[in-house]
Amino acid sequence: RREAPPQMSGGSGFIIREDGYIISNNHVVDGATRITVHLKDGRKLGAKVIGTDPRADIALLKVDAKGLPVARLGSSERTRVGQWSLAIGAPFSLEYSYSMGIISGKGRGGLQPGQYVQYLQTTAPINPGNSGGPLVNIDGEVIGVNTMIRGIGTGVGFAVPVDMVRDVADQLITNGKVTRPWLGIRILSVRDAAEVED
């Protein structure tokens, strides 16, 4: 029986610490047996997964390098609807592509089963290969991680807010995992609660 040839896929990411920590999406690296990071200066470095948070679709990678250029992290909380946004990544393997739009919504929840992220919505075109790349503001600060789209070419893209990404990365670097509080509370409308009691 012939073995299937290995499959290759691509995505994007950005460096958050000069000693080689990189943010991408969990779905970009999930199931990967080997990860190679292509840097702007032409270097290709092997990377290992430090940890992931599938519920936020975030992965933290590490390459063996020092003195790397670092993306400036902004604030998704201070980001406002109507502000300019730029999606950076490698759509269709076209590295270091930029697309421009605006923030068209905030707090977009319930888009993926099992996820609790309140996404930033942007009109900046996001295409296959942009996943894991930064969504930046007009000052070049990262405000989100490009994560998903609603149909190619629709102008409806979504990014994980950078404030959440910062917390996830800090936990993965410190503990190797992400922990969150959990309350066993179910919220119902008064009408639904009456139906449950009946």
Side-chain angles (χ1 to χ4, degrees), residues 81-96:
V81 173
Q83 290 182 338
W84 292 108
S85 60
L86 294 96
I88 305 173
F92 306 107
S93 299
L94 300 169
E95 295 181 354
Y96 303 104

Side-chain angles (χ1 to χ4, degrees), residues 63-74:
V63 295
D64 186 12
K66 302 289 184 185
L68 296 175
V70 175
R72 283 189 301 135
L73 303 185

